[in-house]
Amino acid sequence: MKKLLRNTLRSSFVQRAVGILAAEYLRLVWRTNKFTFDPPDVYDRVEPQIPAIFAFWHGQHFLTPFIKNKDWYKARVLISRHRDGEFNAIAAERLGIGTIRGSGDHGGAFHRKGGVGAFKEMVRTLEDGCNVALTADVPKRSRVAGLGIIMLARESGRPIMPFAMATSRFVRLKNWDRTTINLPFGRGALVGIKEIHVPPDADAATMEALRLELEETLNEATRRAYAQLGRPGPADA
């Protein structure tokens, strides 16, 4: 039975069907939640610094394609090569977001997971004037930022834009990243506190300090987003 289920999920037809359904469901969620923005002029602040690296926590990422609110914004998102990543890739592309396949983790499996190629492609994407979006977490360690995104900012010279999105109605799973499935017909909040710049000559100590700053900024943005909606954040569940 497990083998049959695994083979079914690997079917390109099933993956495409699930990806399309997921994209259309998320579109419904976006359209039926009234969003507020913190700060109110967040887009005016970000736009002059495009292309940028948009960072968010894993498990809080489903609505992130909708930060692209203008047709001329170009964006690509880093998505794992894992089987489950196929659904996410199809959904993202359905919502007008390009994809880069590979790992953002700079741990021992970096080469095996296609991390080197993905890193180079992200740098080229930014050089071409296109935004890059990716989760900041170390794999399987929720709300712990990795150094990969800091390295990308140092190499590309582009700022990191940490942000959080939340809705007042959701279902939260009891897994490693407290995955939050947003529900329609409620309220939403998008919070972007500040950008983070990484100097091109940043040494190991500087990069670690900026990694911690990114982690703290994302945690604060997430806390504020849920607080504005009067709901507990994933760290409080």
Side-chain angles (χ1 to χ4, degrees):
M1 181 61 71
K2 289 184 178 180
K3 184 177 180 181
L4 176 61
L5 178 60
R6 184 169 60 248
N7 290 338
T8 300
L9 292 175
R10 286 176 176 172
S11 161
S12 59
F13 174 81
V14 171
Q15 289 175 341
R16 181 160 183 80
V18 172
I20 290 173
L21 286 172
E24 295 310 313
Y25 172 76
L26 293 175
R27 204 188 304 274
L28 171 68
V29 173
W30 174 253
R31 289 176 174 173
T32 59
N33 278 276
K34 182 176 178 57
F35 269 78
T36 58
F37 302 91
D38 178 13
D41 62 345
V42 61
Y43 281 97
D44 293 333
R45 296 187 182 192
V46 170
E47 197 167 290
Q49 303 190 69
I50 287 175
I53 302 163
F54 290 88
F56 43 90
W57 284 140
H58 204 280
Q60 307 295 310
H61 62 283
F62 289 116
L63 291 178
T64 56
F66 298 101
I67 65 170
K68 180 179 176 290
N69 70 341
K70 292 183 180 179
D71 289 340
W72 63 268
Y73 287 168
K74 295 187 295 181
R76 298 178 71 188
V77 61
L78 178 67
I79 295 178
S80 167
R81 287 181 174 180
H82 188 271
R83 178 178 68 250
D84 295 342
E86 293 299 326
F87 306 122
N88 291 329
I90 291 167
E93 290 170 358
R94 176 85 173 182
L95 295 171
I97 307 296
T99 57
I100 298 170
R101 304 305 300 273
S103 173
D105 175 27
H106 279 62
F110 186 53
H111 292 268
R112 178 171 55 81
K113 293 181 179 180
V116 173
F119 185 87
K120 291 179 178 178
E121 191 171 352
M122 285 190 288
V123 172
R124 287 194 297 267
T125 297
L126 290 162
E127 289 174 346
D128 290 340
C130 181
N131 298 307
V132 167
L134 68 161
T135 55
D137 313 62
V138 173
K140 303 300 181 181
R141 295 184 63 193
S142 180
R143 295 182 294 281
V144 175
L147 273 174
I149 194 168
I150 304 298
M151 293 174 65
L152 177 62
R154 183 181 66 175
E155 181 69 20
S156 66
R158 304 313 306 161
I160 301 171
M161 301 289 182
F163 73 98
M165 297 178 74
T167 53
S168 58
R169 301 184 68 246
F170 58 82
V171 173
R172 183 166 290 140
L173 305 183
K174 294 182 178 180
N175 55 355
W176 72 271
D177 62 2
R178 308 297 288 165
T179 298
T180 300
I181 300 172
N182 308 100
L183 300 177
F185 308 112
R187 296 175 295 119
L190 186 156
V191 177
I193 298 174
K194 63 178 180 179
E195 68 274 11
I196 295 174
H197 296 269
V198 181
D201 58 350
D203 58 15
T206 300
M207 291 181 67
E208 173 60 14
L210 291 170
R211 185 198 68 78
L212 287 172
E213 182 179 351
L214 171 61
E215 189 174 293
E216 292 166 0
T217 302
L218 276 171
N219 282 333
E220 176 61 14
T222 303
R223 186 198 65 78
R224 280 167 55 168
Y226 281 98
Q228 290 176 20
L229 301 170
R231 300 304 311 276
D236 304 318

mmCIF file of all heavy atoms in Angstrom, residues 100-146:
data_model
loop_
_atom_site.group_PDB
_atom_site.id
_atom_site.type_symbol
_atom_site.label_atom_id
_atom_site.label_comp_id
_atom_site.label_asym_id
_atom_site.label_seq_id
_atom_site.Cartn_x
_atom_site.Cartn_y
_atom_site.Cartn_z
ATOM 1 N N ILE A 100 13.689 27.953 -8.721
ATOM 2 C CA ILE A 100 15.076 27.486 -8.736
ATOM 3 C C ILE A 100 15.079 26.241 -7.881
ATOM 4 O O ILE A 100 14.637 26.261 -6.730
ATOM 5 C CB ILE A 100 16.030 28.548 -8.155
ATOM 6 C CG1 ILE A 100 16.002 29.823 -9.005
ATOM 7 C CG2 ILE A 100 17.452 27.994 -8.052
ATOM 8 C CD1 ILE A 100 16.720 31.002 -8.365
ATOM 9 N N ARG A 101 15.565 25.131 -8.420
ATOM 10 C CA ARG A 101 15.486 23.863 -7.696
ATOM 11 C C ARG A 101 16.830 23.532 -7.049
ATOM 12 O O ARG A 101 17.870 23.552 -7.699
ATOM 13 C CB ARG A 101 15.073 22.728 -8.642
ATOM 14 C CG ARG A 101 13.760 22.968 -9.372
ATOM 15 C CD ARG A 101 12.605 23.267 -8.421
ATOM 16 N NE ARG A 101 12.343 22.196 -7.496
ATOM 17 C CZ ARG A 101 11.545 21.158 -7.766
ATOM 18 N NH1 ARG A 101 10.963 21.068 -8.945
ATOM 19 N NH2 ARG A 101 11.332 20.235 -6.864
ATOM 20 N N GLY A 102 16.786 23.238 -5.768
ATOM 21 C CA GLY A 102 17.997 22.881 -5.045
ATOM 22 C C GLY A 102 17.837 23.178 -3.571
ATOM 23 O O GLY A 102 16.750 23.500 -3.093
ATOM 24 N N SER A 103 18.933 23.109 -2.838
ATOM 25 C CA SER A 103 18.916 23.316 -1.400
ATOM 26 C C SER A 103 19.597 24.625 -1.045
ATOM 27 O O SER A 103 20.623 24.985 -1.616
ATOM 28 C CB SER A 103 19.648 22.159 -0.696
ATOM 29 O OG SER A 103 19.778 22.435 0.684
ATOM 30 N N GLY A 104 19.010 25.327 -0.063
ATOM 31 C CA GLY A 104 19.650 26.525 0.462
ATOM 32 C C GLY A 104 20.514 26.228 1.662
ATOM 33 O O GLY A 104 21.167 27.110 2.204
ATOM 34 N N ASP A 105 20.527 24.967 2.078
ATOM 35 C CA ASP A 105 21.322 24.541 3.234
ATOM 36 C C ASP A 105 22.794 24.447 2.837
ATOM 37 O O ASP A 105 23.128 23.903 1.786
ATOM 38 C CB ASP A 105 20.811 23.183 3.710
ATOM 39 C CG ASP A 105 21.655 22.610 4.840
ATOM 40 O OD1 ASP A 105 22.260 23.402 5.572
ATOM 41 O OD2 ASP A 105 21.674 21.376 4.984
ATOM 42 N N HIS A 106 23.682 24.961 3.688
ATOM 43 C CA HIS A 106 25.113 24.858 3.418
ATOM 44 C C HIS A 106 25.770 23.847 4.339
ATOM 45 O O HIS A 106 26.930 23.978 4.720
ATOM 46 C CB HIS A 106 25.778 26.240 3.550
ATOM 47 C CG HIS A 106 25.609 27.069 2.332
ATOM 48 N ND1 HIS A 106 24.370 27.461 1.883
ATOM 49 C CD2 HIS A 106 26.514 27.556 1.452
ATOM 50 C CE1 HIS A 106 24.524 28.183 0.779
ATOM 51 N NE2 HIS A 106 25.801 28.259 0.503
ATOM 52 N N GLY A 107 25.019 22.795 4.685
ATOM 53 C CA GLY A 107 25.555 21.743 5.537
ATOM 54 C C GLY A 107 26.242 20.665 4.724
ATOM 55 O O GLY A 107 26.622 20.853 3.570
ATOM 56 N N GLY A 108 26.360 19.490 5.313
ATOM 57 C CA GLY A 108 27.113 18.412 4.690
ATOM 58 C C GLY A 108 26.515 17.904 3.399
ATOM 59 O O GLY A 108 27.224 17.327 2.565
ATOM 60 N N ALA A 109 25.196 18.070 3.203
ATOM 61 C CA ALA A 109 24.531 17.556 2.004
ATOM 62 C C ALA A 109 24.390 18.616 0.927
ATOM 63 O O ALA A 109 23.643 18.443 -0.025
ATOM 64 C CB ALA A 109 23.158 17.004 2.380
ATOM 65 N N PHE A 110 25.132 19.714 1.060
ATOM 66 C CA PHE A 110 24.997 20.855 0.154
ATOM 67 C C PHE A 110 25.205 20.448 -1.303
ATOM 68 O O PHE A 110 24.413 20.786 -2.179
ATOM 69 C CB PHE A 110 26.010 21.934 0.560
ATOM 70 C CG PHE A 110 25.883 23.223 -0.215
ATOM 71 C CD1 PHE A 110 24.677 23.875 -0.304
ATOM 72 C CD2 PHE A 110 26.999 23.773 -0.845
ATOM 73 C CE1 PHE A 110 24.564 25.082 -1.006
ATOM 74 C CE2 PHE A 110 26.898 24.962 -1.547
ATOM 75 C CZ PHE A 110 25.685 25.612 -1.611
ATOM 76 N N HIS A 111 26.263 19.704 -1.580
ATOM 77 C CA HIS A 111 26.545 19.287 -2.956
ATOM 78 C C HIS A 111 25.517 18.270 -3.432
ATOM 79 O O HIS A 111 25.008 18.369 -4.546
ATOM 80 C CB HIS A 111 27.959 18.695 -3.052
ATOM 81 C CG HIS A 111 29.037 19.709 -2.841
ATOM 82 N ND1 HIS A 111 29.607 20.406 -3.878
ATOM 83 C CD2 HIS A 111 29.632 20.162 -1.707
ATOM 84 C CE1 HIS A 111 30.528 21.238 -3.402
ATOM 85 N NE2 HIS A 111 30.562 21.110 -2.094
ATOM 86 N N ARG A 112 25.205 17.294 -2.579
ATOM 87 C CA ARG A 112 24.291 16.223 -2.979
ATOM 88 C C ARG A 112 22.905 16.756 -3.295
ATOM 89 O O ARG A 112 22.213 16.241 -4.172
ATOM 90 C CB ARG A 112 24.210 15.180 -1.862
ATOM 91 C CG ARG A 112 23.248 14.038 -2.144
ATOM 92 C CD ARG A 112 23.394 12.948 -1.104
ATOM 93 N NE ARG A 112 23.224 13.434 0.254
ATOM 94 C CZ ARG A 112 22.027 13.645 0.825
ATOM 95 N NH1 ARG A 112 20.922 13.429 0.127
ATOM 96 N NH2 ARG A 112 21.951 14.054 2.062
ATOM 97 N N LYS A 113 22.468 17.786 -2.611
ATOM 98 C CA LYS A 113 21.125 18.317 -2.797
ATOM 99 C C LYS A 113 21.050 19.402 -3.879
ATOM 100 O O LYS A 113 20.044 20.088 -4.004
ATOM 101 C CB LYS A 113 20.600 18.885 -1.463
ATOM 102 C CG LYS A 113 20.377 17.822 -0.403
ATOM 103 C CD LYS A 113 19.831 18.444 0.857
ATOM 104 C CE LYS A 113 19.566 17.401 1.927
ATOM 105 N NZ LYS A 113 19.030 18.008 3.174
ATOM 106 N N GLY A 114 22.113 19.550 -4.651
ATOM 107 C CA GLY A 114 22.088 20.537 -5.721
ATOM 108 C C GLY A 114 22.285 21.958 -5.241
ATOM 109 O O GLY A 114 21.938 22.920 -5.938
ATOM 110 N N GLY A 115 22.871 22.104 -4.031
ATOM 111 C CA GLY A 115 23.022 23.432 -3.454
ATOM 112 C C GLY A 115 23.961 24.339 -4.222
ATOM 113 O O GLY A 115 23.709 25.538 -4.345
ATOM 114 N N VAL A 116 25.059 23.790 -4.737
ATOM 115 C CA VAL A 116 26.040 24.615 -5.450
ATOM 116 C C VAL A 116 25.418 25.233 -6.698
ATOM 117 O O VAL A 116 25.514 26.443 -6.929
ATOM 118 C CB VAL A 116 27.285 23.780 -5.820
ATOM 119 C CG1 VAL A 116 28.219 24.596 -6.696
ATOM 120 C CG2 VAL A 116 28.012 23.314 -4.567
ATOM 121 N N GLY A 117 24.762 24.401 -7.498
ATOM 122 C CA GLY A 117 24.124 24.904 -8.709
ATOM 123 C C GLY A 117 23.031 25.895 -8.401
ATOM 124 O O GLY A 117 22.887 26.918 -9.084
ATOM 125 N N ALA A 118 22.236 25.619 -7.370
ATOM 126 C CA ALA A 118 21.152 26.517 -6.994
ATOM 127 C C ALA A 118 21.703 27.857 -6.516
ATOM 128 O O ALA A 118 21.151 28.920 -6.848
ATOM 129 C CB ALA A 118 20.294 25.883 -5.907
ATOM 130 N N PHE A 119 22.805 27.817 -5.745
ATOM 131 C CA PHE A 119 23.403 29.060 -5.251
ATOM 132 C C PHE A 119 23.871 29.927 -6.418
ATOM 133 O O PHE A 119 23.594 31.134 -6.467
ATOM 134 C CB PHE A 119 24.573 28.738 -4.327
ATOM 135 C CG PHE A 119 25.174 29.949 -3.670
ATOM 136 C CD1 PHE A 119 24.650 30.424 -2.481
ATOM 137 C CD2 PHE A 119 26.253 30.608 -4.238
ATOM 138 C CE1 PHE A 119 25.192 31.552 -1.870
ATOM 139 C CE2 PHE A 119 26.803 31.723 -3.637
ATOM 140 C CZ PHE A 119 26.278 32.197 -2.449
ATOM 141 N N LYS A 120 24.559 29.325 -7.372
ATOM 142 C CA LYS A 120 25.032 30.078 -8.538
ATOM 143 C C LYS A 120 23.861 30.637 -9.337
ATOM 144 O O LYS A 120 23.922 31.769 -9.844
ATOM 145 C CB LYS A 120 25.904 29.186 -9.420
ATOM 146 C CG LYS A 120 27.239 28.807 -8.792
ATOM 147 C CD LYS A 120 28.042 27.908 -9.717
ATOM 148 C CE LYS A 120 29.398 27.555 -9.111
ATOM 149 N NZ LYS A 120 30.167 26.638 -9.993
ATOM 150 N N GLU A 121 22.793 29.856 -9.446
ATOM 151 C CA GLU A 121 21.631 30.322 -10.202
ATOM 152 C C GLU A 121 20.941 31.483 -9.492
ATOM 153 O O GLU A 121 20.447 32.417 -10.139
ATOM 154 C CB GLU A 121 20.641 29.176 -10.418
ATOM 155 C CG GLU A 121 19.538 29.519 -11.408
ATOM 156 C CD GLU A 121 18.687 28.322 -11.793
ATOM 157 O OE1 GLU A 121 19.041 27.179 -11.412
ATOM 158 O OE2 GLU A 121 17.670 28.534 -12.474
ATOM 159 N N MET A 122 20.919 31.455 -8.175
ATOM 160 C CA MET A 122 20.334 32.570 -7.429
ATOM 161 C C MET A 122 21.148 33.845 -7.625
ATOM 162 O O MET A 122 20.583 34.935 -7.790
ATOM 163 C CB MET A 122 20.228 32.219 -5.944
ATOM 164 C CG MET A 122 19.107 31.247 -5.636
ATOM 165 S SD MET A 122 18.788 31.044 -3.855
ATOM 166 C CE MET A 122 20.230 30.093 -3.359
ATOM 167 N N VAL A 123 22.474 33.716 -7.611
ATOM 168 C CA VAL A 123 23.323 34.888 -7.854
ATOM 169 C C VAL A 123 23.068 35.456 -9.246
ATOM 170 O O VAL A 123 22.911 36.675 -9.421
ATOM 171 C CB VAL A 123 24.817 34.528 -7.678
ATOM 172 C CG1 VAL A 123 25.707 35.694 -8.112
ATOM 173 C CG2 VAL A 123 25.107 34.149 -6.228
ATOM 174 N N ARG A 124 22.998 34.580 -10.253
ATOM 175 C CA ARG A 124 22.728 35.035 -11.626
ATOM 176 C C ARG A 124 21.349 35.678 -11.734
ATOM 177 O O ARG A 124 21.171 36.679 -12.435
ATOM 178 C CB ARG A 124 22.835 33.860 -12.600
ATOM 179 C CG ARG A 124 24.246 33.372 -12.862
ATOM 180 C CD ARG A 124 24.294 32.453 -14.074
ATOM 181 N NE ARG A 124 23.511 31.238 -13.861
ATOM 182 C CZ ARG A 124 24.013 30.108 -13.391
ATOM 183 N NH1 ARG A 124 25.297 30.033 -13.062
ATOM 184 N NH2 ARG A 124 23.242 29.048 -13.234
ATOM 185 N N THR A 125 20.382 35.108 -11.034
ATOM 186 C CA THR A 125 19.022 35.647 -11.062
ATOM 187 C C THR A 125 18.995 37.076 -10.537
ATOM 188 O O THR A 125 18.363 37.968 -11.116
ATOM 189 C CB THR A 125 18.083 34.754 -10.233
ATOM 190 O OG1 THR A 125 18.021 33.459 -10.836
ATOM 191 C CG2 THR A 125 16.680 35.334 -10.159
ATOM 192 N N LEU A 126 19.682 37.322 -9.443
ATOM 193 C CA LEU A 126 19.752 38.663 -8.868
ATOM 194 C C LEU A 126 20.503 39.612 -9.799
ATOM 195 O O LEU A 126 20.118 40.776 -9.962
ATOM 196 C CB LEU A 126 20.413 38.613 -7.501
ATOM 197 C CG LEU A 126 19.581 37.934 -6.404
ATOM 198 C CD1 LEU A 126 20.457 37.527 -5.224
ATOM 199 C CD2 LEU A 126 18.449 38.857 -5.941
ATOM 200 N N GLU A 127 21.575 39.129 -10.420
ATOM 201 C CA GLU A 127 22.320 39.958 -11.368
ATOM 202 C C GLU A 127 21.461 40.362 -12.558
ATOM 203 O O GLU A 127 21.655 41.437 -13.141
ATOM 204 C CB GLU A 127 23.557 39.197 -11.854
ATOM 205 C CG GLU A 127 24.637 39.042 -10.794
ATOM 206 C CD GLU A 127 25.791 38.161 -11.261
ATOM 207 O OE1 GLU A 127 25.619 37.465 -12.287
ATOM 208 O OE2 GLU A 127 26.842 38.165 -10.590
ATOM 209 N N ASP A 128 20.486 39.518 -12.903
ATOM 210 C CA ASP A 128 19.587 39.808 -14.022
ATOM 211 C C ASP A 128 18.431 40.711 -13.623
ATOM 212 O O ASP A 128 17.524 40.977 -14.433
ATOM 213 C CB ASP A 128 19.021 38.500 -14.591
ATOM 214 C CG ASP A 128 20.084 37.682 -15.314
ATOM 215 O OD1 ASP A 128 21.110 38.259 -15.704
ATOM 216 O OD2 ASP A 128 19.873 36.460 -15.493
ATOM 217 N N GLY A 129 18.419 41.186 -12.378
ATOM 218 C CA GLY A 129 17.382 42.110 -11.944
ATOM 219 C C GLY A 129 16.119 41.448 -11.442
ATOM 220 O O GLY A 129 15.075 42.103 -11.324
ATOM 221 N N CYS A 130 16.199 40.170 -11.119
ATOM 222 C CA CYS A 130 15.031 39.413 -10.658
ATOM 223 C C CYS A 130 15.167 39.116 -9.170
ATOM 224 O O CYS A 130 16.240 38.716 -8.704
ATOM 225 C CB CYS A 130 14.906 38.117 -11.458
ATOM 226 S SG CYS A 130 13.483 37.083 -11.021
ATOM 227 N N ASN A 131 14.094 39.315 -8.414
ATOM 228 C CA ASN A 131 14.100 38.999 -6.991
ATOM 229 C C ASN A 131 14.235 37.494 -6.760
ATOM 230 O O ASN A 131 13.814 36.690 -7.593
ATOM 231 C CB ASN A 131 12.806 39.483 -6.332
ATOM 232 C CG ASN A 131 12.629 40.983 -6.429
ATOM 233 O OD1 ASN A 131 13.507 41.742 -6.049
ATOM 234 N ND2 ASN A 131 11.490 41.413 -6.951
ATOM 235 N N VAL A 132 14.796 37.138 -5.603
ATOM 236 C CA VAL A 132 14.901 35.741 -5.189
ATOM 237 C C VAL A 132 14.226 35.609 -3.825
ATOM 238 O O VAL A 132 14.427 36.432 -2.933
ATOM 239 C CB VAL A 132 16.367 35.280 -5.099
ATOM 240 C CG1 VAL A 132 16.477 33.951 -4.368
ATOM 241 C CG2 VAL A 132 16.970 35.162 -6.491
ATOM 242 N N ALA A 133 13.416 34.563 -3.666
ATOM 243 C CA ALA A 133 12.746 34.302 -2.393
ATOM 244 C C ALA A 133 13.136 32.920 -1.889
ATOM 245 O O ALA A 133 13.235 31.972 -2.678
ATOM 246 C CB ALA A 133 11.234 34.390 -2.564
ATOM 247 N N LEU A 134 13.356 32.793 -0.593
ATOM 248 C CA LEU A 134 13.706 31.496 -0.023
ATOM 249 C C LEU A 134 13.471 31.483 1.473
ATOM 250 O O LEU A 134 13.468 32.528 2.128
ATOM 251 C CB LEU A 134 15.148 31.108 -0.321
ATOM 252 C CG LEU A 134 16.279 31.902 0.328
ATOM 253 C CD1 LEU A 134 17.570 31.076 0.295
ATOM 254 C CD2 LEU A 134 16.521 33.220 -0.389
ATOM 255 N N THR A 135 13.245 30.273 2.000
ATOM 256 C CA THR A 135 13.107 30.125 3.440
ATOM 257 C C THR A 135 14.483 30.272 4.082
ATOM 258 O O THR A 135 15.494 29.878 3.510
ATOM 259 C CB THR A 135 12.508 28.757 3.808
ATOM 260 O OG1 THR A 135 13.309 27.717 3.226
ATOM 261 C CG2 THR A 135 11.074 28.639 3.293
ATOM 262 N N ALA A 136 14.486 30.827 5.288
ATOM 263 C CA ALA A 136 15.751 31.099 5.971
ATOM 264 C C ALA A 136 16.175 29.984 6.909
ATOM 265 O O ALA A 136 17.335 29.953 7.347
ATOM 266 C CB ALA A 136 15.641 32.407 6.761
ATOM 267 N N ASP A 137 15.274 29.040 7.217
ATOM 268 C CA ASP A 137 15.573 28.020 8.226
ATOM 269 C C ASP A 137 16.675 27.062 7.800
ATOM 270 O O ASP A 137 16.809 26.705 6.628
ATOM 271 C CB ASP A 137 14.354 27.142 8.502
ATOM 272 C CG ASP A 137 13.073 27.905 8.704
ATOM 273 O OD1 ASP A 137 12.648 28.586 7.762
ATOM 274 O OD2 ASP A 137 12.510 27.798 9.774
ATOM 275 N N VAL A 138 17.420 26.588 8.799
ATOM 276 C CA VAL A 138 18.228 25.387 8.634
ATOM 277 C C VAL A 138 17.241 24.224 8.520
ATOM 278 O O VAL A 138 16.283 24.153 9.294
ATOM 279 C CB VAL A 138 19.149 25.173 9.851
ATOM 280 C CG1 VAL A 138 19.869 23.838 9.755
ATOM 281 C CG2 VAL A 138 20.153 26.316 9.958
ATOM 282 N N PRO A 139 17.408 23.308 7.549
ATOM 283 C CA PRO A 139 16.453 22.208 7.399
ATOM 284 C C PRO A 139 16.209 21.446 8.698
ATOM 285 O O PRO A 139 17.140 21.095 9.418
ATOM 286 C CB PRO A 139 17.119 21.313 6.337
ATOM 287 C CG PRO A 139 17.935 22.262 5.528
ATOM 288 C CD PRO A 139 18.452 23.284 6.515
ATOM 289 N N LYS A 140 14.918 21.240 8.981
ATOM 290 C CA LYS A 140 14.451 20.493 10.150
ATOM 291 C C LYS A 140 14.752 21.182 11.470
ATOM 292 O O LYS A 140 14.638 20.568 12.531
ATOM 293 C CB LYS A 140 15.036 19.062 10.172
ATOM 294 C CG LYS A 140 14.728 18.257 8.923
ATOM 295 C CD LYS A 140 13.235 18.080 8.687
ATOM 296 C CE LYS A 140 12.952 17.251 7.456
ATOM 297 N NZ LYS A 140 11.505 17.097 7.195
ATOM 298 N N ARG A 141 15.123 22.456 11.426
ATOM 299 C CA ARG A 141 15.334 23.220 12.657
ATOM 300 C C ARG A 141 14.562 24.520 12.524
ATOM 301 O O ARG A 141 15.050 25.514 11.990
ATOM 302 C CB ARG A 141 16.816 23.486 12.907
ATOM 303 C CG ARG A 141 17.630 22.228 13.165
ATOM 304 C CD ARG A 141 19.069 22.576 13.488
ATOM 305 N NE ARG A 141 19.177 23.354 14.722
ATOM 306 C CZ ARG A 141 20.290 23.994 15.097
ATOM 307 N NH1 ARG A 141 21.362 23.949 14.320
ATOM 308 N NH2 ARG A 141 20.324 24.684 16.210
ATOM 309 N N SER A 142 13.332 24.486 12.986
ATOM 310 C CA SER A 142 12.420 25.607 12.802
ATOM 311 C C SER A 142 12.923 26.876 13.493
ATOM 312 O O SER A 142 13.391 26.832 14.637
ATOM 313 C CB SER A 142 11.049 25.233 13.369
ATOM 314 O OG SER A 142 10.144 26.290 13.218
ATOM 315 N N ARG A 143 12.819 27.975 12.778
ATOM 316 C CA ARG A 143 13.155 29.314 13.269
ATOM 317 C C ARG A 143 14.614 29.447 13.694
ATOM 318 O O ARG A 143 14.947 30.220 14.591
ATOM 319 C CB ARG A 143 12.196 29.726 14.398
ATOM 320 C CG ARG A 143 10.759 29.878 13.914
ATOM 321 C CD ARG A 143 9.829 30.332 15.009
ATOM 322 N NE ARG A 143 9.693 29.339 16.061
ATOM 323 C CZ ARG A 143 8.917 28.251 15.967
ATOM 324 N NH1 ARG A 143 8.241 28.020 14.882
ATOM 325 N NH2 ARG A 143 8.844 27.406 16.974
ATOM 326 N N VAL A 144 15.478 28.677 13.033
ATOM 327 C CA VAL A 144 16.926 28.844 13.175
ATOM 328 C C VAL A 144 17.464 29.187 11.790
ATOM 329 O O VAL A 144 17.440 28.357 10.883
ATOM 330 C CB VAL A 144 17.609 27.567 13.704
ATOM 331 C CG1 VAL A 144 19.126 27.741 13.731
ATOM 332 C CG2 VAL A 144 17.074 27.202 15.089
ATOM 333 N N ALA A 145 17.907 30.413 11.609
ATOM 334 C CA ALA A 145 18.362 30.855 10.293
ATOM 335 C C ALA A 145 19.708 30.240 9.950
ATOM 336 O O ALA A 145 20.584 30.109 10.810
ATOM 337 C CB ALA A 145 18.456 32.376 10.256
ATOM 338 N N GLY A 146 19.868 29.859 8.688
ATOM 339 C CA GLY A 146 21.133 29.319 8.220
ATOM 340 C C GLY A 146 22.015 30.399 7.627
ATOM 341 O O GLY A 146 21.574 31.528 7.382
#
